[in-house]
Structures are given as structure tokens and as C-alpha cells.
């Protein structure tokens, strides 16, 4: 509320003229004039830098120079002697809906931004990034694999996404990886796991061994597809590192940036369900996920002006918006952390 002030008018009659001598009439004027003259003289001494007062209160060269310029320079003197005030960036890190996030620079993997990066959350289908990484590290992508399961039946049992593999169908590991990463096929994850690891349990152990080799301290897998399990978790930092490792492998990097692919079968083309690829300029992957427990999750990467950045977001309400906001901020407000352009 704005406050107003006012000066009340004097009440009563005007002061009567004195009938005393002229000296008595002049005396009331002498005192105010003397006070005014005293103030003027004091201000003059201060502005000219003379007198003991200014010498005591101003003893450094910046202050001396300021006083030489006159009284108007006094605020500058105070600013020169004060501690510098940190300047806030006009473009702060955006607020997102996700509960944890990391932004990395590629190809070196240097961290540009992070919050709650070591907190453990369910990965949902981001687990498939590790499935793909382990498979590529331990098998030939041209290997032909016979499916031991029916994808449609598995989807009905789990209410999960599938590639659509039929029981006894033969597909290459490359085809299965496209189905794994483009369609988020849970059936493809299980077929890959049983072939590469000898069993689902054996493959999961390989996934956890790989996490240990990468130094991931907040990651544990219990299945190759990412369906909810209270014992399975990742952190934003760890899943970003897994995405970073995927991009280092040319064959996997090619898969995660593909918008479509046709396996060697008669069922037609697979469309990538990762809408980030077609909605964010320069997007090159990688993977999204969702379960009721994990909420929305994403590892995304994009290139701009010779740089490649990767972002991970866990437990998000809108994975695409969150990833886009963080990437835009990082591209616009950071410089390359890798020492060179990509």
C-alpha cells in the first residue's frame, strides 16, 4: 500500500509584529542565516577534499580520485570499495518435470549439468539400451537367431510393447536390435537375452557385469526389457553413461537414430516410436520408456553447430519437453567441454 504524508497547516492567528527595537526584529533572522552559511562552508570543505575529516575517511587511491571529482562521485567510491556482486546468468537452467537429469557433452562424456543425478529410479525401457550394448559386445550382429517365444502371447501376458516375433521365426541379431530399440520390443529383448546369455538370468548377470565395468554405482538390472521390478533401478548419471557408450558404437548409433527399418520378414516396416527423433531439430536418438512406476523416462541426443549433447531424464511427466528444454539450454549457454568440436 502506498503511503502519503502531508504537513498540517498551522492553527491560530498569525504571529504579531513586535513593537520592540529593530535589533530585536533582526535577531530571529540571524540564527537561520548562520546555520545555512555553516552548512555551505562544511559542504565546500568536503567536496574540495580539504580538512581532516576527508583525510581520515578516505585513504586509498580510488577514493582520492573520486573525491577530486566532487561530491557526485561518492556513490562510485562506495561501489569501488565494496565486494563485487556475482552476476546471475540471464538464462538459468530451465525447470523440468523430471525428478533427475544429466546433460553430457559428446564424444568425451563430460558432464555439463546434473541434478539428483545419483538418485535411483526405475528405468522402464531405458534398460534396453544396456541390453543392446551387451548384445553388441558379445555377439555378431549378423548371427541368425530362432525365436523361442511368441511376441503376441508375451504382450498379452505383460501388456507391454513387442516387435511382433513369432515362435520359431528366424531373424538376425541386427533385425532384433532394431525391433528392440525402434519398437521397444520386449519380445526382442527376451530372444536376444536367451541367445547371447544362454538364459534370461545369465544375460541379466552380463548386464550387471557391464554396469560394474563402467563404474555405475547406482544401477541394477533384473530383466532385459525394463518392465517394473522393485529390485531394478538406475540413476540419471548411470543411464546417461550407458547412452554415451551406445553412441560410441557405430552400429548401435545408426540404429537409435533410424526413424524406420524393415527386417528380413514379411510383416513390413518398423516405425520408431521415439517421437523425439522427428520433433527435435538435429536429434540422433536414443530411447524413451514408460511404466506406471517409472513414469516417463528418456535418453536423448542431438547435434547442433558441430556439437553433440546427450541428456537423460528420469521420472518425468513430459519426457520430450524436458529433454528439449535441457538441450536447448545447454546448446545456447555452454561451450564445448571436450576441447574440440565433434
Amino acid at each position: 500500500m502506498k503511503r502519503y504524508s502531508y504537513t498540517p497547516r498551522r492553527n491560530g492567528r498569525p504571529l504579531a509584529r513586535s513593537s520592540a527595537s529593530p535589533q530585536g526584529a533582526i535577531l530571529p533572522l540571524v540564527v537561520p542565516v548562520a546555520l545555512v552559511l555553516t552548512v555551505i562552508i562544511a559542504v565546500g570543505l568536503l567536496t574540495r577534499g580539504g580538512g581532516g575529516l576527508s583525510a581520515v575517511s578516505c585513504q586509498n587511491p580510488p577514493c582520492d580520485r573520486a573525491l577530486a571529482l566532487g561530491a557526485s562521485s561518492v556513490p562510485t567510491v562506495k561501489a569501488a570499495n565494496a565486494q563485487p556482486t556475482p552476476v546471475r546468468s540471464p538464462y538459468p537452467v530451465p525447470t523440468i518435470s523430471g525428478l533427475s537429469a544429466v546433460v553430457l557433452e559428446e564424444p568425451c562424456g563430460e558432464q555439463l549439468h546434473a541434478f539428483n543425478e545419483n538418485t535411483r529410479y526405475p528405468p522402464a525401457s531405458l534398460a534396453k539400451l544396456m541390453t543392446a550394448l551387451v548384445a553388441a559386445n558379445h555377439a555378431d550382429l549378423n548371427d541368425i537367431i530362432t525365436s523361442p517365444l511368441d511376441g503376441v502371447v508375451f504382450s498379452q501376458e505383460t501388456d507391454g510393447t513387442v516387435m511382433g516375433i513369432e515362435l520359431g521365426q528366424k531373424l538376425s541379431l541386427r533385425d532384433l536390435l532394431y525391433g528392440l530399440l525402434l519398437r521397444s520390443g520386449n519380445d526382442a529383448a527376451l530372444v536376444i537375452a536367451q541367445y547371447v546369455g544362454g538364459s534370461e538370468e545369465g544375460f541379466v548377470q552380463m548386464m550387471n557385469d557391464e554396469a560394474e565395468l563402467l563404474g555405475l554405482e547406482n544401477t541394477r538390472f533384473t530383466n532385459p526389457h525394463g518392465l517394473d521390478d522393485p529390485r531394478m533401478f538406475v540413476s540419471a548419471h548411470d543411464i546417461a553413461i550407458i547412452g554415451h557408450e551406445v553412441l560410441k558404437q557405430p552400429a548401435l548409433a545408426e540404429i537409435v537414430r533410424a526413424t524406420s527399418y524393415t527386417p528380413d520378414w514379411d510383416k513390413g516396416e518398423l516405425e520408431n516410436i521415439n517421437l523425439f527423433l522427428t520433433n527435435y531439430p538435429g536429434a540422433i536418438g536414443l530411447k524413451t520408456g514408460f511404466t506406471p512406476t517409472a513414469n516417463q523416462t528418456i535418453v536423448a541426443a542431438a547435434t547442433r553447430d558441430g556439437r553433440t549433447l546427450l541428456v537423460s531424464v528420469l521420472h518425468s511427466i513430459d519426457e520430450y519437453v524436458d529433454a528439449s528444454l535441457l538441450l536447448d539450454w545447454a546448446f545456447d549457454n555452454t561451450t564445448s567441454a571436450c576441447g574440440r568440436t565433434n
Side-chain angles (χ1 to χ4, degrees), residues 32-49:
V33 171
L35 289 174
V36 171
L37 289 174
T38 302
V39 171
I40 293 173
I41 292 170
V43 170
L45 289 174
L46 289 174
T47 58
R48 292 178 184 176

Side-chain angles (χ1 to χ4, degrees), residues 34-328:
L35 289 174
V36 171
L37 289 174
T38 302
V39 171
I40 293 173
I41 292 170
V43 170
L45 289 174
L46 289 174
T47 58
R48 292 178 184 176
L53 180 61
S54 63
V56 172
S57 61
C58 189
Q59 297 178 349
N60 55 58
C63 189
D64 292 339
R65 290 194 296 270
L67 284 178
L69 296 174
S72 63
S73 300
V74 173
T76 304
V77 174
K78 293 180 181 179
N81 290 333
Q83 292 296 321
T85 302
V87 178
R88 292 185 178 274
S89 169
Y91 303 105
V93 180
T95 300
I96 64 171
S97 67
L99 300 186
S100 65
V102 163
V103 181
L104 299 182
E105 180 101 29
E106 296 294 334
C108 61
E110 284 294 317
Q111 184 171 286
L112 300 177
H113 170 68
F115 75 95
N116 292 337
E117 67 271 23
N118 295 316
T119 304
R120 298 173 174 181
Y121 292 102
S125 284
L126 298 187
K128 295 182 175 79
L129 291 173
M130 181 62 97
T131 299
L133 185 63
V134 171
N137 285 341
H138 293 88
D140 190 319
L141 270 60
N142 294 316
D143 287 353
I144 302 301
I145 302 172
T146 302
S147 173
L149 59 84
D150 188 305
V152 174
V153 173
F154 183 71
S155 177
Q156 293 171 344
E157 294 173 347
T158 62
D159 193 28
T161 55
V162 292
M163 175 184 179
I165 306 171
E166 297 177 358
L167 179 64
Q169 188 168 18
K170 297 182 184 296
L171 292 169
S172 69
L173 177 57
R174 188 185 309 276
D175 287 347
L176 290 169
L177 287 173
Y178 272 98
L180 176 80
L181 297 173
L182 270 62
R183 297 300 300 176
S184 200
N186 295 328
D187 52 352
L190 289 174
V191 173
I192 291 170
Q194 293 189 29
Y195 175 78
V196 176
S199 66
E200 182 179 352
E201 294 75 15
F203 187 81
V204 168
Q205 184 60 54
M206 295 171 70
M207 295 172 71
N208 288 319
D209 290 344
E210 184 70 23
E212 186 175 354
L213 287 174
L214 294 174
L216 309 183
E217 298 180 353
N218 294 294
T219 291
R220 180 173 178 79
F221 297 104
T222 60
N223 63 58
H225 41 66
L227 292 176
D228 282 335
D229 185 323
R231 301 167 298 163
M232 183 165 60
F233 51 82
V234 297
S235 67
H237 167 270
D238 289 2
I239 199 64
I241 295 299
I242 294 171
H244 166 71
E245 292 296 321
V246 167
L247 289 182
K248 287 168 63 176
Q249 298 210 17
L252 296 182
E254 181 179 353
I255 292 173
V256 296
R257 69 169 173 259
T259 56
S260 63
Y261 175 78
T262 303
D264 185 15
W265 66 1
D266 59 1
K267 293 186 177 182
E269 190 176 70
L270 297 175
E271 295 286 339
N272 198 329
I273 63 174
N274 181 6
L275 299 180
F276 183 82
L277 281 171
T278 53
N279 284 278
Y280 189 84
I284 58 170
L286 299 173
K287 187 78 183 71
T288 63
F290 172 80
T291 66
T293 302
N295 218 332
Q296 297 180 29
T297 61
I298 189 170
V299 174
T303 60
R304 184 186 300 177
D305 298 329
R307 298 177 69 191
T308 299
L309 302 182
L310 180 147
V311 60
S312 64
V313 182
L314 297 180
H315 213 284
S316 169
I317 295 175
D318 195 326
E319 59 201 351
Y320 298 122
V321 170
D322 287 351
S324 299
L325 287 172
L326 289 173
L327 286 173
D328 282 347

